[in-house]
Amino acid sequence: MTVSVEDIDRWNGGDAREVFNATRSRAEAAFEASNGIADLPAFGTWGGDASEAAKEAIGQTRRDLDAHGNEALAVSRAASAAADDVEQVKSDLAQLRADADSLGMAIDPIGNTIEPGPGSAGADPMELLLKQIQLQERLDKILADAARFDAELAKAIDMAIGKEPIPDVGPPTGLPQLPPEGSSPVDTRKWWDSLTPAQREDLARYQPADIGKLDGVPAAVREQINAARLPGEIAKAQAAVDAITAHPIAKPNPSQVDARQAALNKLADLQQLQTTLKNHPGTGLLLLDTTSNPKNVLAAVAKGDVDNAQRVGVTVGGMTTNVRGSVDGMTGEIIAQHDQAVELRNLAGVANPESVATIAWLGYEAPGMNLDVTDDALAKAGAGPLNHFYQGLGATTNVPDQQLTAFGHSYGSLTTSLALQEGAPVDNVVLYGSPGGELANASQLGVAPGHAYFMDGVTDGVPTTVAGLHAFGPPLSEVPGFTELSVNSGQAPGPPYGDGQWHERAYGHSEYARTGDNGELRMSAYNMAAILAGLPQETIAPPTNLPPPTLPLGPRGIPVPNPNYHP
């Protein structure tokens, strides 16, 4: 097919890039759905005809998904090559136009010829002819390349719509080896920095699950990879549930019941993640781990530019915390915390007030409402990954003086304490509703004196009654080195020392990070935002002399509520 200069001028490499991005995402989703289905834990517990039927069904599903992924990948590669070719030929044509103009010549876009330009009148005819011959050779080559590229692009389009057979393709050979197991996040960051852009793209395409959960890989990269993975993980989890429910077992044994529940849990986790990210634009999926825990998906959601923020906060939830039941609420809380910290920095006149990021970390198995909550085994198991996560944030930051604040609620405060005792690049720590941190002194947390805080909510029995049992060391109120922050209702100072708003008390065990009835953060959450913002001087201390709750001013001395009592 003949291609004219006018055709080239109309070409847009971005169109081909859109085809490339769409088909690559489809390929990744198909491969993610296929990858690992054959190793579903349920198969290890099944037997007989049901197991064989399920395995055959899954095997066919995997073959179909792999075939679809390879087809999409072939179209993606063809579209990527076409986009590069379009941009190259347009660049060559632009350069030729510039060269022709400098020589007093011009390109005729209809005739595809080089002609004397408007300013060539009176020039030597022989000189014009030589210029014309020289430039026409270049134009003819550009047009020939364009015709070849056009044919390749047409082939890619025909493959995309099913008119052209799609060649069998697979991952490229020579993918870089991942860092050895147990590598530090610092070493992982060095490894990542040593890769070429093409190598990074190949790893993101063919090993997204590994890269997406690798501490030491930049946060923006992980968020992009994990967002692309999520649809495929949902499809894989749905296939696992379908395989189990399609072949029910009349009298399942306990391990079979557990396998079924785990499959249902993981599907619910992934679906809730998808809903949460949709409901909260501007958040990113910093961690998506579907394999480390047999019962649950592990995840972390971030608000803000984690690697380039001056102030970063990481919140760890406590008992009953899991992705399906907690990620939406925790995400709303870190968004509110982020926004309050930015507001306080604005009011205080801090440079770059919006340089704040917050993270909800659900990267461990928290105990449920059972005896697990009386034992520190799950906290110890979660402390290692949490410490590694902190180390990863320290390795990937682009801000030399980035300040990291660790927030831990309930059982998550014990997990946070144990993680910090392993040594982490954390500058401040706030533990609230804590049953204890297995501490003798706040200095064990590795933060500077005066940078460890605790809060005990009004009517919260965990940091008093439960902590009083000393199952996890003494209550934080008895540990030297901690500063107590207020959870009581009160008025914050006006700008530049605070937001000037009334902040209601935090009562019970679950209200610390939430907003009050007036739409403002509760006092505990306000204090946490001030610490995150780097404005500890704006925190509010507990009142020293609360007024009595009642006054004996009624008829015959009957007590009446004291309007000045704000617990």
Side-chain angles (χ1 to χ4, degrees), residues 254-479:
S255 62
Q256 292 167 337
V257 172
D258 290 344
R260 182 181 187 277
Q261 189 59 53
L264 292 169
N265 286 349
K266 289 193 172 186
L267 177 58
D269 288 336
L270 293 164
Q271 290 173 333
Q272 184 58 63
L273 275 174
Q274 187 176 59
T275 299
T276 295
L277 295 174
K278 180 180 179 181
N279 290 344
H280 300 287
T283 56
L285 190 52
L286 186 52
L287 171 65
L288 177 60
D289 183 353
T290 62
T291 59
S292 295
N293 187 283
K295 302 177 183 178
N296 307 293
V297 171
L298 307 179
V301 176
K303 167 68 175 177
D305 186 351
V306 174
D307 287 337
N308 295 299
Q310 294 175 350
R311 314 289 306 193
V312 177
V314 179
T315 297
V316 180
M319 61 180 180
T320 74
T321 298
N322 54 53
V323 171
R324 56 194 171 276
S326 310
V327 70
D328 199 69
M330 288 185 68
T331 298
E333 290 169 3
I334 65 164
I335 292 173
Q337 184 186 74
H338 170 276
D339 293 348
Q340 180 77 80
V342 169
E343 179 187 359
L344 291 175
R345 287 166 63 86
N346 253 315
L347 294 173
V350 175
N352 301 317
E354 295 186 355
S355 188
V356 175
T358 50
I359 301 167
W361 189 80
L362 299 95
Y364 82 119
E365 181 183 347
M369 296 292 288
N370 51 42
L371 291 178
D372 287 343
V373 79
T374 65
D375 187 274
D376 65 1
L378 291 176
K380 288 180 177 178
L386 178 57
N387 178 275
H388 209 259
F389 185 78
Y390 291 143
Q391 300 284 357
L393 297 178
T396 60
T397 181
N398 299 314
V399 180
D401 59 346
Q402 184 182 78
Q403 298 287 296
L404 181 59
T405 299
F407 298 99
H409 175 230
S410 186
Y411 193 87
S413 69
L414 174 61
T415 307
T416 299
S417 173
L418 295 175
L420 295 184
Q421 290 179 57
E422 296 180 14
V426 171
D427 303 279
N428 309 283
V429 56
V430 184
L431 306 179
Y432 50 104
S434 176
E438 299 190 0
L439 290 164
N441 193 290
S443 62
Q444 295 171 249
L445 299 173
V447 299
H451 288 258
Y453 306 87
F454 80 95
M455 293 183 290
D456 294 345
V458 177
T459 72
D460 184 0
V462 171
T464 53
T465 304
V466 175
L469 300 176
H470 288 234
F472 307 122
L476 297 187
S477 59
E478 299 176 10
V479 177

Side-chain angles (χ1 to χ4, degrees), residues 5-326:
V5 172
E6 283 187 322
D7 292 330
I8 298 174
D9 287 335
R10 286 193 296 267
W11 283 358
N12 184 354
D15 294 340
R17 293 279 179 213
E18 288 184 10
V19 175
F20 162 70
N21 290 327
T23 51
R24 184 179 68 169
S25 296
R26 177 166 293 187
E28 290 172 351
F31 290 138
E32 279 296 311
S34 172
N35 184 34
I37 286 182
D39 298 322
L40 289 172
F43 291 157
T45 62
W46 289 3
D49 294 341
S51 174
E52 292 306 315
K55 288 179 180 178
E56 175 57 32
I58 285 295
Q60 185 57 51
T61 299
R62 293 190 70 223
R63 288 190 290 272
D64 292 343
L65 287 168
D66 286 339
H68 179 72
N70 283 326
E71 290 175 355
L73 188 59
V75 175
S76 174
R77 289 177 176 174
S80 178
D84 292 340
D85 293 341
V86 166
E87 291 166 359
Q88 182 61 53
V89 77
K90 287 179 73 70
S91 174
D92 292 344
L93 182 60
Q95 185 62 55
L96 178 59
R97 274 203 173 100
D99 293 345
D101 184 67
S102 68
L103 295 173
M105 307 296 284
I107 298 175
D108 177 3
I110 299 176
N112 296 331
T113 56
I114 301 293
E115 303 293 342
S120 63
D124 181 1
M126 182 57 69
E127 182 181 349
L128 289 175
L129 179 61
L130 290 174
K131 291 178 181 178
Q132 191 173 26
I133 293 172
Q134 180 185 18
L135 295 174
Q136 188 66 48
E137 289 180 356
R138 289 173 59 187
L139 179 58
D140 290 343
K141 182 180 183 304
I142 290 172
L143 293 171
D145 288 341
R148 177 164 51 85
F149 298 158
D150 184 64
E152 293 173 355
L153 180 57
K155 183 177 181 180
I157 294 172
D158 286 343
M159 286 193 297
I161 63 177
K163 285 186 177 182
E164 181 82 14
I166 297 176
D168 186 19
V169 295
T173 58
L175 280 177
Q177 292 292 318
L178 295 175
E181 188 174 351
S183 295
S184 71
V186 171
D187 288 339
T188 296
R189 176 60 190 268
K190 291 178 181 177
W191 164 81
W192 181 259
D193 288 344
S194 72
L195 302 176
T196 66
Q199 287 175 321
R200 294 175 186 170
E201 184 173 339
D202 283 342
L203 284 169
R205 184 182 305 175
Y206 298 108
Q207 295 183 259
D210 295 319
I211 302 301
K213 65 180 181 181
L214 200 55
D215 295 326
V217 172
V221 174
R222 294 174 66 179
E223 289 179 11
Q224 182 180 15
I225 289 173
N226 288 331
R229 286 179 54 211
L230 189 55
E233 290 291 349
I234 291 174
K236 182 168 67 176
Q238 185 66 65
V241 170
D242 291 346
I244 292 174
T245 56
H247 303 279
I249 300 173
K251 295 182 179 180
N253 60 42
S255 62
Q256 292 167 337
V257 172
D258 290 344
R260 182 181 187 277
Q261 189 59 53
L264 292 169
N265 286 349
K266 289 193 172 186
L267 177 58
D269 288 336
L270 293 164
Q271 290 173 333
Q272 184 58 63
L273 275 174
Q274 187 176 59
T275 299
T276 295
L277 295 174
K278 180 180 179 181
N279 290 344
H280 300 287
T283 56
L285 190 52
L286 186 52
L287 171 65
L288 177 60
D289 183 353
T290 62
T291 59
S292 295
N293 187 283
K295 302 177 183 178
N296 307 293
V297 171
L298 307 179
V301 176
K303 167 68 175 177
D305 186 351
V306 174
D307 287 337
N308 295 299
Q310 294 175 350
R311 314 289 306 193
V312 177
V314 179
T315 297
V316 180
M319 61 180 180
T320 74
T321 298
N322 54 53
V323 171
R324 56 194 171 276
S326 310

